[in-house]
Amino acid sequence: MPLRGIGAPTGRTERGRPHRPPAPGTPLTRNGIQEKQDPMRVTHAVPLAPMTTLGIGGPAAALMELHDPADFPEFVALADTLPGAPVCLGEGSNVLVGDAGCDGAVLRMSTKGVRMTGSTADGRVLVEVQAGHLLSDLVDMTIAEGLTGMEMLVGIPGTTGATPVQNVGAYGQETADSLVEVTAWDWESGRMVTLDAAACGLGHRTSVFKRSRRWTLLTLVFALRRSELSAPVGYRPVAAVLDVPVGSRVPLEDVAQAVLTVRRSKGMVLGCSGTDDRSVGSVFLSPEISPAQADGLRARNAPVNHFPDGSVRVSASWLIRQAGFALRSPVVPGVRLSSLHYTLVADEGASAAAFTEAIDIVFRQVLRRTGVRLTSEIDLL
């Protein structure tokens, strides 16, 4: 059954077996009103900067926007005629496009649709989602439907198809907690395959899809549990907003509002600050550290934490602050620290070269001052 009247045709396949996308014919509906699917549009020399949250980068040689999954073979055929490996672009919220742009085919994923497809042996509800569906819309719907497992991801921009790429997570939840499988086009073998969550190689902000052009994700299946209450609140600032002890479970809508409050206080909700909106959120991962480093950093009151993948990591924001960077301070022309959070944002005149230089400056200064190596989590086109 569709969630809240929203449905779209999706294809399923046996693992590793060739798959034909479903024929068109099942329209999207919203609140019972049929929506006409736009045909795939192909345009050339299209600026990519307006399609990213940083607002940086050159044009795409050829841009195709996919609304109907049945049109995907057209993109495959076009990509074979153009130089370079094809790339997929969702909402561009974790992307830095090069100043010269992209000389291959770019697919903007705009497929929409969510439906319940059954349940697991332990009673969780299976939810199938088109890759172009906005993550924020999916999270809102799961909360409205009384499904727990994604409520802490509220306020994160981007498409659902991007979530496995770096195992998107926040405040104690991550994609790996609920992902069951994905359907993807494998450019190496030239066929559609289904990968279960284990085959996706999900780790701390990484997966087999990260920094790889091999796959284009098309549909995803999540398993969520019916409950009026959230997962245990494990993040102290969220618990403080709710005025409950860490570990408490609260109504889904309440925890979502608390998470949004915390994210807005750090400028991590697009459009909330007015001055720091040209951002990709966190530019750097919280780096993994050795036991000796952890002991030394704890002695300096650093936020050192154990992560679900078994690693011990320290806050990248704390390291950047310790390295001498101040909020709002310029790093290179057009790129500065956010006014609310220790991350980089773009201003007027920013370029991809300047943003890359700023990343390198922060990396080198943090390494020199703290001895810890940062890693950028931005996808570079």
Side-chain angles (χ1 to χ4, degrees):
M1 61 180 288
L3 281 173
R4 296 291 184 195
I6 299 181
T10 57
R12 301 295 297 279
T13 178
E14 296 178 10
R15 184 178 319 284
R17 296 290 299 273
H19 168 91
R20 295 186 64 185
T26 305
L28 282 172
T29 63
R30 187 178 298 274
N31 297 327
I33 301 173
Q34 181 171 320
E35 293 181 355
K36 184 179 184 301
Q37 296 255 24
D38 292 331
M40 177 176 280
R41 298 189 296 270
V42 183
T43 48
H44 299 275
V46 180
L48 292 174
M51 301 180 190
T52 72
T53 55
L54 277 176
I56 291 174
L63 177 75
M64 302 183 74
E65 189 165 4
L66 183 66
H67 292 272
D68 190 332
D71 291 334
F72 184 71
E74 293 183 33
F75 173 72
V76 174
L78 174 66
D80 287 341
T81 69
L82 296 171
V87 297
C88 187
L89 182 67
E91 291 296 291
S93 57
N94 196 53
V95 172
L96 175 61
V97 178
D99 294 319
C102 198
D103 61 1
V106 176
L107 175 65
R108 192 169 199 202
M109 191 64 71
S110 298
T111 54
K112 301 289 190 295
V114 181
R115 66 174 185 172
M116 296 181 188
T117 61
S119 59
T120 63
D122 63 357
R124 290 178 297 165
V125 178
L126 293 173
V127 180
E128 190 173 57
V129 190
Q130 292 289 330
H133 202 92
L134 293 181
L135 176 61
S136 58
D137 287 351
L138 173 62
V139 173
D140 287 348
M141 279 191 285
T142 61
I143 291 171
E145 291 285 340
L147 297 173
T148 183
M150 305 189 85
E151 61 273 12
M152 306 295 182
L153 307 186
V154 67
I156 297 178
T159 58
T160 304
T163 59
V165 176
Q166 63 181 59
N167 190 19
V168 167
Y171 308 115
Q173 281 181 344
E174 56 185 16
T175 303
D177 297 333
S178 57
L179 185 70
V180 175
E181 65 182 28
V182 303
T183 300
W185 180 261
D186 183 345
W187 292 96
E188 286 190 6
S189 63
R191 64 181 181 178
M192 202 82 75
V193 297
T194 294
L195 303 174
D196 63 20
C200 295
L202 303 175
H204 179 66
R205 304 298 173 263
T206 192
S207 68
V208 298
F209 313 117
K210 185 74 173 176
R211 310 203 193 288
S212 172
R213 300 267 182 98
R214 178 174 175 178
W215 292 276
T216 295
L217 300 179
L218 298 173
T219 63
L220 306 90
V221 177
F222 299 92
L224 305 174
R225 197 171 299 280
R226 285 204 177 278
S227 176
E228 295 180 357
L229 299 179
S230 71
V233 178
Y235 191 73
R236 293 187 184 280
V238 175
V241 171
L242 291 163
D243 194 23
V244 298
V246 170
S248 300
R249 300 181 65 199
V250 301
L252 291 171
E253 183 61 35
D254 291 354
V255 81
Q257 291 304 314
V259 168
L260 285 173
T261 297
V262 174
R263 290 184 66 86
R264 289 189 184 105
S265 71
K266 299 192 294 183
M268 302 295 274
V269 175
L270 288 178
C272 72
S273 70
T275 59
D276 301 325
D277 290 339
R278 292 179 62 183
S279 163
V280 288
S282 296
V283 172
F284 297 100
L285 298 171
S286 294
E288 186 172 3
I289 52 178
S290 68
Q293 286 176 311
D295 290 342
L297 289 167
R298 285 193 184 100
R300 297 170 60 181
N301 294 318
V304 175
N305 296 291
H306 292 269
F307 279 69
D309 64 352
S311 62
V312 177
R313 298 175 181 272
V314 62
S315 163
S317 298
W318 185 89
L319 293 170
I320 293 169
R321 184 171 72 246
Q322 293 299 307
F325 292 97
L327 297 178
R328 305 181 187 84
S329 62
V331 181
V332 297
V335 184
R336 60 174 170 83
L337 269 291
S338 163
S339 60
L340 296 170
H341 186 51
Y342 287 88
T343 191
L344 296 171
V345 297
D347 281 332
E348 193 68 31
S351 65
F355 207 88
T356 302
E357 182 183 0
I359 290 173
D360 185 58
I361 289 171
V362 173
F363 168 84
R364 287 187 282 107
Q365 192 160 321
V366 166
L367 180 61
R368 185 169 61 251
R369 297 281 186 90
T370 71
V372 179
R373 301 175 69 88
L374 291 174
T375 300
S376 171
E377 59 178 300
I378 302 176
D379 291 322
L380 305 175
L381 299 188

